Structure formats: structure tokens, C-alpha cells
Amino acid sequence: MQTETRQRHYLPATFDNRSIRILLVGCGGNGGQMLMGLASLDTALRAISSRSLDVTVVDDDIVTEANLGRQPFYRCDIGNSKARTLAERINLAHGLDWGAVHGRAPGAIGLEGIDLLISCVDTASARRALGTAIANSKAAPAYWMDLGNRASDGQFLIGCPSRADERSGRLSTVLEAFPELADERVADDDAPSCSVAEALERQSLFVNRVLASHALALLFDLLGRGSIGHAGAFLNLASGQVVPIPLPSVAPPNPRADQ
């Protein structure tokens, strides 16, 4: 009788000795925190490995007063592009040349040549649009990390969109792990907040920072140390619980298979 063993997922050797191209979709609550954390991750990778990050962020939103406090913007940023504002600030602080696109993905930017897609979007329809773009792409990203949250809980998950290699243990994407997101009959809930107080009624002040920190820690293990032992996690700030999402379990080889 075979028993399942939990495997570690290892970064492909094709990621060695080069810059890793990342497309970050969304520069709001989760996306803004992720972009700032990716700058720190780039610094760490340059110090401990032969890798670095080449990031492009895309978002069609502008900074409003309701974004202050929970998102990494200041009053002087109100009315400006979220993507361009934060990218320019990070480039100046870290000496980088990361790109910013004021528009909506995937229409505003292609996915060709991307190693890692990070989606920090508010709606299921936005995730479906990205999934369709990946399916129609000539070369799908090697990884797709998705972050999502509600008022005081959320989840992040990293998957492997490419089906070129269907070995057992391929990491499921967000649309595969949560098939309800692919249901076009489910209406989106993306009503905007008009004030800081209203925004805090809809989402906890630090839920995005906590969620992004856990997601960035997973990326550091994968890109900096070369492997991960889980594919993501569910977080609940109200209960203080963090529940890892396990990697796919695979059966060990049968020693009698060749006999």
C-alpha cells in the first residue's frame, strides 16, 4: 500500500543567474504593500543570490482620500496614478528602474515574457480576465500568485499556470483551487469607499500589510532559498489564525513497478 508524502516545491533552474520579470496587477491595499515589499526582496536577492527583480505594476486607479491610512499613500498623492506614484517613489528610494502602467490588465499590458504574475485585484471578474489572458498567451508565466481579502481575513496562493509539464504536484492556480471564482454568474462586490472611516468599516486597517507580509515571506523562500513547503495560506486577523495551504501530495514511486 502506497502512502502519500508531502513534497517541497523547488524553483526551476531556469531562474538562476538572471533578473526575474514580475507583473504586479493592482496597486491598492494588497498591491501597494506587495510593491514596497518586492523592493526589499530585490535588495535581499542581490545580496544572497545571482537573482534580481524587474517589476512592472499596472493599475487604472487614482489615489483618493479613502485610500489614506490603509494604503501606502499620502495626502499629497491624492488625484495621482497609484501605479506611477508608488513606482516612482520606490525607484527613487532604491535606485531602481521599475515600470508603471496606468491602465487595466490584461488589456493595458501583455503577459509575454513574464516569469511571475502577482494579482492583487478586487473582483472575481478581474481574475477571470487574467486567467483568460494566460490561456491565450503563447508563453504562460511560470507562476501566478494571487492575494485576496475581506474585512479581517484573506488568503494568498501561488500556482503554476503552464500545463506544458503536467507532472504530478503541479501547483494549482487560484481559479483551479477556488473554482467558484470562475463562475460568471457570481456578481462582483467592488463598491468603492468614500472616506477613510468608511474604508475601515469595510476592511481592517492592517489586513493588507499582514497578508502581503506572509505572501512576501513565501516568495523569499522560493526565490531566495529555492523552495517552498506550502502553496499559500488562509489568514484571519480576528482569530489570530494562519492556516497553510499544503502543496499537492504525491505518491512515492512503487518499488515493484518495474519488476
Side-chain angles (χ1 to χ4, degrees), residues 54 66 86 97 110 138 162 165 168 210 215 221 227 240 244:
D54 180 8
L86 206 52
D97 189 25
K138 294 181 180 179
S162 176
D165 184 357
S168 60
V210 174
D221 283 344
S227 70

PDB file of all heavy atoms in Angstrom, residues 54 66 86 97 110 138 162 165 168 210 215 221 227 240 244:
ATOM      1  N   ASP A  54      12.749  42.479 -11.772  1.00  0.00           N
ATOM      2  CA  ASP A  54      12.384  43.521 -12.729  1.00  0.00           C
ATOM      3  C   ASP A  54      10.858  43.592 -12.718  1.00  0.00           C
ATOM      4  O   ASP A  54      10.177  42.742 -13.292  1.00  0.00           O
ATOM      5  CB  ASP A  54      12.909  43.175 -14.122  1.00  0.00           C
ATOM      6  CG  ASP A  54      12.546  44.224 -15.158  1.00  0.00           C
ATOM      7  OD1 ASP A  54      12.030  45.290 -14.775  1.00  0.00           O
ATOM      8  OD2 ASP A  54      12.757  43.967 -16.364  1.00  0.00           O
ATOM      9  N   ALA A  66      -9.992  58.247   0.622  1.00  0.00           N
ATOM     10  CA  ALA A  66     -10.357  56.998   1.278  1.00  0.00           C
ATOM     11  C   ALA A  66      -9.204  56.009   1.333  1.00  0.00           C
ATOM     12  O   ALA A  66      -9.223  55.081   2.142  1.00  0.00           O
ATOM     13  CB  ALA A  66     -11.549  56.363   0.553  1.00  0.00           C
ATOM     14  N   LEU A  86       3.633  55.199  -6.770  1.00  0.00           N
ATOM     15  CA  LEU A  86       4.400  54.299  -5.915  1.00  0.00           C
ATOM     16  C   LEU A  86       5.656  53.789  -6.613  1.00  0.00           C
ATOM     17  O   LEU A  86       6.707  53.639  -5.978  1.00  0.00           O
ATOM     18  CB  LEU A  86       3.522  53.125  -5.474  1.00  0.00           C
ATOM     19  CG  LEU A  86       3.919  52.457  -4.149  1.00  0.00           C
ATOM     20  CD1 LEU A  86       4.049  53.480  -3.044  1.00  0.00           C
ATOM     21  CD2 LEU A  86       2.918  51.386  -3.764  1.00  0.00           C
ATOM     22  N   ASP A  97      14.676  50.896 -11.666  1.00  0.00           N
ATOM     23  CA  ASP A  97      14.056  51.417 -12.882  1.00  0.00           C
ATOM     24  C   ASP A  97      12.823  50.574 -13.207  1.00  0.00           C
ATOM     25  O   ASP A  97      12.663  50.097 -14.326  1.00  0.00           O
ATOM     26  CB  ASP A  97      15.060  51.393 -14.047  1.00  0.00           C
ATOM     27  CG  ASP A  97      14.518  52.123 -15.267  1.00  0.00           C
ATOM     28  OD1 ASP A  97      13.659  53.011 -15.100  1.00  0.00           O
ATOM     29  OD2 ASP A  97      14.936  51.782 -16.392  1.00  0.00           O
ATOM     30  N   GLY A 110       0.653  43.186 -22.004  1.00  0.00           N
ATOM     31  CA  GLY A 110       0.674  41.768 -22.311  1.00  0.00           C
ATOM     32  C   GLY A 110       1.369  40.959 -21.229  1.00  0.00           C
ATOM     33  O   GLY A 110       2.047  41.503 -20.357  1.00  0.00           O
ATOM     34  N   LYS A 138       0.997  32.968 -25.616  1.00  0.00           N
ATOM     35  CA  LYS A 138       1.895  32.000 -26.258  1.00  0.00           C
ATOM     36  C   LYS A 138       2.829  31.349 -25.241  1.00  0.00           C
ATOM     37  O   LYS A 138       3.229  30.200 -25.422  1.00  0.00           O
ATOM     38  CB  LYS A 138       2.706  32.705 -27.353  1.00  0.00           C
ATOM     39  CG  LYS A 138       1.862  33.209 -28.525  1.00  0.00           C
ATOM     40  CD  LYS A 138       2.734  33.876 -29.563  1.00  0.00           C
ATOM     41  CE  LYS A 138       1.904  34.383 -30.730  1.00  0.00           C
ATOM     42  NZ  LYS A 138       2.739  35.068 -31.755  1.00  0.00           N
ATOM     43  N   SER A 162       1.234  27.182 -16.391  1.00  0.00           N
ATOM     44  CA  SER A 162       1.623  26.443 -17.586  1.00  0.00           C
ATOM     45  C   SER A 162       1.299  24.967 -17.444  1.00  0.00           C
ATOM     46  O   SER A 162       1.607  24.343 -16.422  1.00  0.00           O
ATOM     47  CB  SER A 162       3.119  26.606 -17.862  1.00  0.00           C
ATOM     48  OG  SER A 162       3.503  25.821 -18.973  1.00  0.00           O
ATOM     49  N   ASP A 165       4.072  21.062 -18.664  1.00  0.00           N
ATOM     50  CA  ASP A 165       4.605  19.943 -17.890  1.00  0.00           C
ATOM     51  C   ASP A 165       3.550  19.544 -16.877  1.00  0.00           C
ATOM     52  O   ASP A 165       3.336  20.238 -15.887  1.00  0.00           O
ATOM     53  CB  ASP A 165       5.892  20.349 -17.180  1.00  0.00           C
ATOM     54  CG  ASP A 165       6.534  19.176 -16.429  1.00  0.00           C
ATOM     55  OD1 ASP A 165       5.930  18.087 -16.431  1.00  0.00           O
ATOM     56  OD2 ASP A 165       7.607  19.371 -15.848  1.00  0.00           O
ATOM     57  N   SER A 168       2.775  15.213 -11.735  1.00  0.00           N
ATOM     58  CA  SER A 168       2.009  15.288 -10.505  1.00  0.00           C
ATOM     59  C   SER A 168       2.700  16.254  -9.556  1.00  0.00           C
ATOM     60  O   SER A 168       3.922  16.322  -9.491  1.00  0.00           O
ATOM     61  CB  SER A 168       1.916  13.900  -9.855  1.00  0.00           C
ATOM     62  OG  SER A 168       3.196  13.402  -9.546  1.00  0.00           O
ATOM     63  N   VAL A 210      -0.549  42.554   6.731  1.00  0.00           N
ATOM     64  CA  VAL A 210      -0.306  41.202   7.251  1.00  0.00           C
ATOM     65  C   VAL A 210      -0.324  40.191   6.112  1.00  0.00           C
ATOM     66  O   VAL A 210       0.559  39.325   6.008  1.00  0.00           O
ATOM     67  CB  VAL A 210      -1.339  40.840   8.323  1.00  0.00           C
ATOM     68  CG1 VAL A 210      -1.173  39.385   8.761  1.00  0.00           C
ATOM     69  CG2 VAL A 210      -1.215  41.768   9.525  1.00  0.00           C
ATOM     70  N   ALA A 215       2.730  36.654   2.135  1.00  0.00           N
ATOM     71  CA  ALA A 215       2.960  36.317   0.731  1.00  0.00           C
ATOM     72  C   ALA A 215       4.408  36.599   0.334  1.00  0.00           C
ATOM     73  O   ALA A 215       5.041  35.813  -0.388  1.00  0.00           O
ATOM     74  CB  ALA A 215       2.005  37.107  -0.162  1.00  0.00           C
ATOM     75  N   ASP A 221      11.267  32.616   0.320  1.00  0.00           N
ATOM     76  CA  ASP A 221      11.675  31.212   0.387  1.00  0.00           C
ATOM     77  C   ASP A 221      11.855  30.628  -1.009  1.00  0.00           C
ATOM     78  O   ASP A 221      12.816  29.896  -1.269  1.00  0.00           O
ATOM     79  CB  ASP A 221      10.635  30.393   1.162  1.00  0.00           C
ATOM     80  CG  ASP A 221      10.743  30.600   2.669  1.00  0.00           C
ATOM     81  OD1 ASP A 221      11.777  31.117   3.125  1.00  0.00           O
ATOM     82  OD2 ASP A 221       9.790  30.240   3.376  1.00  0.00           O
ATOM     83  N   SER A 227      13.073  26.969  -2.534  1.00  0.00           N
ATOM     84  CA  SER A 227      11.985  26.002  -2.405  1.00  0.00           C
ATOM     85  C   SER A 227      10.964  26.494  -1.399  1.00  0.00           C
ATOM     86  O   SER A 227      11.252  27.379  -0.569  1.00  0.00           O
ATOM     87  CB  SER A 227      12.509  24.629  -1.972  1.00  0.00           C
ATOM     88  OG  SER A 227      12.967  24.651  -0.623  1.00  0.00           O
ATOM     89  N   GLY A 240      -6.680  35.389  14.919  1.00  0.00           N
ATOM     90  CA  GLY A 240      -5.237  35.221  15.020  1.00  0.00           C
ATOM     91  C   GLY A 240      -4.722  33.944  14.400  1.00  0.00           C
ATOM     92  O   GLY A 240      -3.589  33.540  14.656  1.00  0.00           O
ATOM     93  N   PRO A 244      -1.886  27.130   6.740  1.00  0.00           N
ATOM     94  CA  PRO A 244      -1.180  26.965   5.459  1.00  0.00           C
ATOM     95  C   PRO A 244      -2.007  26.164   4.453  1.00  0.00           C
ATOM     96  O   PRO A 244      -2.792  25.287   4.825  1.00  0.00           O
ATOM     97  CB  PRO A 244       0.091  26.202   5.845  1.00  0.00           C
ATOM     98  CG  PRO A 244       0.219  26.371   7.323  1.00  0.00           C
ATOM     99  CD  PRO A 244      -1.168  26.492   7.852  1.00  0.00           C
TER     100      PRO A 244
END
